[in-house]
Amino acid sequence: MKKIQVGIIGFGTVGSGLAEVLYSQKERLLKRTGVDICLAKVADINLSALPEQFSGVSLVRDGAELIQDPDIDIIVETIGGIEPAKSLVMAAIRAGKHVVTANKALLSQEGRDIFAAAAENQVEVGFEASVGGGIPVIKSLREGLVANRILSIMGIMNGTANYILTRMTEEGVPFDEVLKDAQEQGFAEADPTYDVEGIDTAHKLAILMCMAYGTNITHNEIATEGISQIEPLDIELAREFGCRIKLLAISRNHGDHVEARVHPTMVPESHLLASVSGAYNAIHFTGDTVGNVLLYGLGAGMIPTGSAVAADVVDIARNIQAGSIGRVPPLAYLPEEITSRRVTPMDELFGPYYFRFTVRDEPGVLSTISGILGRHGISLESVVQKGCREDHVVPLVMLTHTAKESAVAAALEEIAELESVVAPVVKIRLLEEE
Ligand code: HSE
């Protein structure tokens, strides 16, 4: 029986999740592939021993040792970040090893170099776990939706941010309090910046856009806003308007240009994405032949993510066995067909908005603000003023019809200058009806 040897560099949550899945599913994988997929070596600088069930696996400190080992067929990089991950991945590819990675930061920034090197060296690069944790989103997009022009991508792609927003919604507690609690319980990273500021979501959207549209895009080109400024009052008001606030990645394919953004969004409660709670992720595609597709599941966690990494390892093992390396292009398009596309500047986009102004409860304030919005061509759908506080400062909330982003920015700048406006204006985009 053919034996495929795997080496894991980085034995943290994802690396150990893969080891566990390969171990617990060994017989099933054998029955499904006819290949003995075997974990041979692990490299980790922080570890002195592996768990007992991996007693036959050698542990070393230096990832380069795995790359130089002629018996290892597949290198799994699960250390994360850009360096040393990129150097190790490039060295593995140049050494003729197939690579599997869950590293969305690396792929969304350095993917071009990595995929070019992989094509040159005729090795495979698997990255199923880089988006949506355990959800098989990459393979669905690459293979299941191959006969589609993808028209849009929309989703909740960060479990930490979704968990925080869910608890803020259900318990009415502020962002900082939920984040602290999530960190204490081990749900959120010690440095949660990438998760809560939308950067991790932008990494994932960039990867999906490359594959969906056959275009080069890096996460830096995606307008990104996080959830750290969201207040319980906005969540409560959203509920009154029949909406939930979610951190969404949104992209639309306009042909010669593509839209790409990550920001908190008010989603109508009737929309499927509104009911995606806690650490779950959901990714929605619209294809011109299939219509709407929604993929839902756990976006993080050791074993679900291990399931996705194992799927890549199995794919590669099968391709080695069948002599069909490179049969499916990793980014879903032939490399020579991948082109650059203009990313639509945010200023050019249209949509409905929620504004919350904190104003002095004085005559004429409402008409001054609505007058400014009107002069910028922004039409109001509804206006709500909440009860008067002792200091005569009140929240004034407005929902708009579809407006242009640049007009909104100009109007809000003008409104922020008013003496009667006493706190920064809150702006949240509403999900547009398709
Ligand atoms: N940090 C990510 C999240 C998990 O919270 O969704 C892996 O992508």
Side-chain angles (χ1 to χ4, degrees):
M1 182 183 299
K2 175 89 177 160
K3 188 171 179 172
I4 297 291
Q5 305 219 49
V6 177
I8 299 178
I9 305 180
F11 208 69
T13 307
V14 182
S16 58
L18 169 67
E20 197 55 52
V21 170
L22 290 179
Y23 178 78
S24 65
Q25 302 292 322
K26 191 159 182 75
E27 280 193 23
R28 189 179 316 281
L29 294 179
L30 202 58
K31 284 185 198 162
R32 285 183 160 173
T33 63
V35 178
D36 178 15
I37 298 170
C38 142
L39 177 58
K41 272 189 185 169
V42 168
D44 192 300
I45 45 169
N46 300 315
L47 223 59
S48 54
L50 291 172
E52 209 182 300
Q53 69 268 37
F54 307 119
S55 55
V57 178
S58 21
L59 174 66
V60 297
R61 285 180 61 79
D62 187 1
E65 259 189 65
L66 276 57
I67 294 169
Q68 284 150 15
D69 185 334
D71 293 332
I72 291 186
D73 305 283
I74 303 172
I75 295 286
V76 181
E77 178 276 308
T78 44
I79 45 181
I82 305 298
E83 281 300 348
K86 183 179 179 188
S87 300
L88 288 163
V89 163
M90 293 299 274
I93 290 172
R94 289 191 194 110
K97 308 288 186 198
H98 306 286
V99 170
V100 176
T101 177
N103 193 335
K104 60 258 170 169
L106 178 65
L107 292 176
S108 63
Q109 190 175 308
E110 307 291 330
R112 227 191 279 194
D113 288 355
I114 292 168
F115 292 114
E120 200 179 310
N121 289 277
Q122 296 181 325
V123 297
E124 302 224 334
V125 177
F127 52 100
E128 183 61 69
S130 64
V131 183
I135 311 170
V137 60
I138 298 293
K139 197 169 176 90
S140 300
L141 184 54
R142 186 196 284 134
E143 298 182 45
L145 298 176
V146 68
N148 280 265
R149 174 171 185 258
I150 303 296
L151 304 172
S152 69
I153 307 166
M154 187 160 65
I156 294 170
M157 302 184 195
N158 187 275
T160 306
N162 202 47
Y163 171 83
I164 292 173
L165 287 174
T166 302
R167 284 200 51 199
M168 287 176 75
T169 305
E170 286 171 359
E171 297 164 34
V173 280
F175 170 83
D176 291 338
E177 211 173 291
V178 185
L179 174 60
K180 190 163 165 274
D181 192 43
Q183 283 171 320
E184 278 164 12
Q185 291 189 51
F187 288 122
E189 304 276 348
D191 179 1
T193 314
Y194 275 27
D195 290 328
V196 301
E197 296 305 345
I199 300 160
D200 176 77
T201 302
H203 288 152
K204 293 165 178 170
L205 181 60
I207 294 171
L208 294 182
M209 287 178 69
C210 291
M211 300 181 69
Y213 311 144
T215 189
N216 286 314
I217 179 165
T218 64
H219 72 93
N220 302 316
E221 297 170 79
I222 299 176
T224 304
E225 282 173 32
I227 61 163
S228 56
Q229 304 305 316
I230 300 288
E231 293 184 21
L233 178 59
D234 299 305
I235 290 186
E236 183 50 41
L237 289 162
R239 200 201 307 266
E240 286 182 27
F241 290 119
C243 291
R244 298 238 165 163
I245 299 177
K246 294 287 180 191
L247 180 64
L248 291 195
I250 301 174
S251 171
R252 294 193 177 91
N253 184 359
H254 298 289
D256 60 342
H257 61 107
V258 289
E259 197 180 313
R261 50 204 165 103
V262 172
H263 52 67
T265 310
M266 282 176 53
V267 180
E269 269 159 15
S270 57
H271 196 284
L272 285 171
L273 289 178
S275 50
V276 175
S277 297
Y280 277 85
N281 282 195
I283 297 127
H284 180 277
F285 295 108
T286 307
D288 64 347
T289 55
V290 73
N292 295 318
V293 170
L294 182 70
L295 301 169
Y296 169 85
L298 277 173
M302 174 179 165
I303 299 299
T305 309
S307 156
V309 182
D312 278 338
V313 170
V314 166
D315 250 357
I316 296 172
R318 283 176 165 154
N319 286 344
I320 294 172
Q321 172 86 328
S324 57
I325 288 299
R327 186 182 70 88
V328 183
L331 290 174
Y333 281 80
L334 295 173
E336 62 274 22
E337 297 296 335
I338 295 178
T339 55
S340 290
R341 213 90 65 82
R342 187 173 81 95
V343 178
T344 327
M346 279 302 277
D347 270 2
E348 292 177 18
L349 299 181
F350 287 83
Y353 292 80
Y354 157 100
F355 303 138
R356 177 166 59 82
F357 306 104
T358 308
V359 297
R360 290 212 183 91
D361 193 10
E362 291 165 354
V365 173
L366 172 59
S367 69
T368 306
I369 291 179
S370 50
I372 294 173
L373 292 170
R375 263 196 291 108
H376 286 275
I378 299 162
S379 157
L380 297 176
E381 200 214 271
S382 56
V383 178
V384 175
Q385 183 181 311
K386 286 291 171 186
C388 185
R389 290 187 344 211
E390 270 178 21
D391 56 2
H392 293 277
V393 168
V394 288
L396 177 62
V397 180
M398 297 181 178
L399 294 191
T400 75
H401 291 292
T402 289
K404 194 172 184 188
E405 183 90 14
S406 56
V408 166
L412 294 188
E413 204 178 301
E414 217 175 295
I415 292 168
E417 296 295 313
L418 297 174
E419 223 174 276
S420 48
V421 174
V422 299
V425 179
V426 175
K427 172 188 82 181
I428 302 175
R429 297 169 186 87
L430 271 73
L431 185 62
E432 233 179 327
E433 300 294 332
E434 290 294 324

